Amino acid sequence: MIRVMLVDDQVLVRTGFRMVLGAQPDIEVVGEAADGAAAVEALRSIEADVVLMDVRMPRMDGVEATRQICSSSSSGPRVLILTTFDLDEYAFAAIKAGASGFLLKDVPPTDLLTAIRAVHAGDAVVAPSTTRRLLERFAVHLPDDSDAPRDLDGLTAREREVLVHVAQGLSNTEIAARLHLAEATVKTHLGRILAKLRLRDRAQAVVYAYETGLVVPSGGPR
């Protein structure tokens, strides 16, 4: 059973998500919160696997709540950001804070369910076409990284190539076809990239590639 917590200041939004999720045999809504502060507090006593997190909320926004949730424990719940096109710069900040991806609030129910299951399985959920389009729009708004420097020189030529394709929005299957590799090999390269750059998942890898200039907003390599 996948335990989900809903965090949104709009009751109707939470009710809609609860109805969709409650109809699934493998998903259970275990809690709700109307702002980030309430979510952080509730998660001290509620065990959740996935948190659907709105961005703009009173008291504590989704970015700060995500940062606190993801920094408190490496085994804690994974966060999916709920956003609209005009708030996506906040979603990117949340990805840097540890979120596993973002969804638009008008996401079709089937895509929402697929995303929740994928995140629960350990994947990052960022639709490639959406990632590319929105990163191109908001890459310049990403805040500076306060972590220790991460050097792209530590990547092999093949790892850099894989990272470029990931940032361009290609799936592992598409990268494998493009580079004439087995899909398992692409997964291995991506795992090594994340480890070397100390990134949590694919979503942060995409943001990192844009931040460092490895990929320019037009979508091509530097």
Side-chain angles (χ1 to χ4, degrees):
M1 186 65 70
I2 304 173
R3 300 164 298 185
V4 177
M5 182 171 188
L6 307 176
V7 185
D8 195 295
D9 61 337
Q10 298 183 42
V11 176
L12 288 178
V13 171
R14 299 201 308 270
T15 300
F17 283 135
R18 179 181 280 276
M19 290 176 62
V20 171
L21 302 183
Q24 303 304 306
D26 61 333
I27 296 177
E28 176 186 8
V29 176
V30 295
E32 296 184 18
D35 60 70
V40 172
E41 178 63 29
L43 285 170
R44 295 192 176 103
S45 58
I46 295 175
E47 291 189 5
D49 301 307
V50 178
V51 177
L52 293 184
M53 179 78 72
D54 189 20
V55 176
R56 180 169 286 184
M57 296 178 291
R59 289 211 300 164
M60 180 187 294
D61 65 22
V63 175
E64 179 58 28
T66 297
R67 183 177 296 110
Q68 293 192 23
I69 292 169
C70 294
S71 64
S72 63
S73 171
S74 60
S75 59
R78 295 173 68 86
V79 178
L80 268 176
I81 296 299
L82 301 171
T83 185
T84 53
F85 276 111
D86 60 340
L87 293 178
D88 287 317
E89 63 267 40
Y90 295 98
F92 293 134
I95 289 175
K96 293 187 66 181
S100 295
F102 59 88
L103 299 172
L104 299 180
K105 279 195 172 182
D106 61 355
V107 62
T110 54
D111 290 351
L112 173 64
L113 297 172
T114 297
I116 290 172
R117 293 180 178 119
V119 164
H120 182 253
D123 293 330
V125 175
V126 189
S129 60
T130 301
T131 302
R132 183 166 56 248
R133 183 174 64 252
L134 299 183
L135 275 171
E136 288 173 5
R137 179 178 177 186
F138 290 113
V140 296
H141 299 297
L142 286 165
D144 293 334
D145 196 343
S146 60
D147 294 337
R150 295 187 287 250
D151 194 350
L152 281 171
D153 291 339
L155 301 182
T156 66
R158 178 63 87 185
E159 288 166 351
R160 287 171 66 103
E161 194 172 16
V162 169
L163 179 55
V164 166
H165 287 315
V166 168
Q168 290 173 335
L170 275 65
S171 66
N172 287 352
T173 301
E174 292 168 332
I175 296 172
R178 184 78 60 88
L179 299 181
H180 305 289
L181 298 172
E183 187 172 348
T185 302
V186 173
K187 291 181 180 179
T188 298
H189 283 310
L190 182 56
R192 290 172 179 165
I193 291 168
L194 297 179
K196 288 181 178 181
L197 300 179
R198 301 191 299 281
L199 299 170
R200 176 171 174 145
D201 53 32
R202 192 186 198 94
Q204 289 193 330
V206 171
V207 172
Y208 178 77
Y210 274 80
E211 280 192 307
T212 58
L214 180 65
V215 174
V216 297
S218 63
R222 182 175 59 183

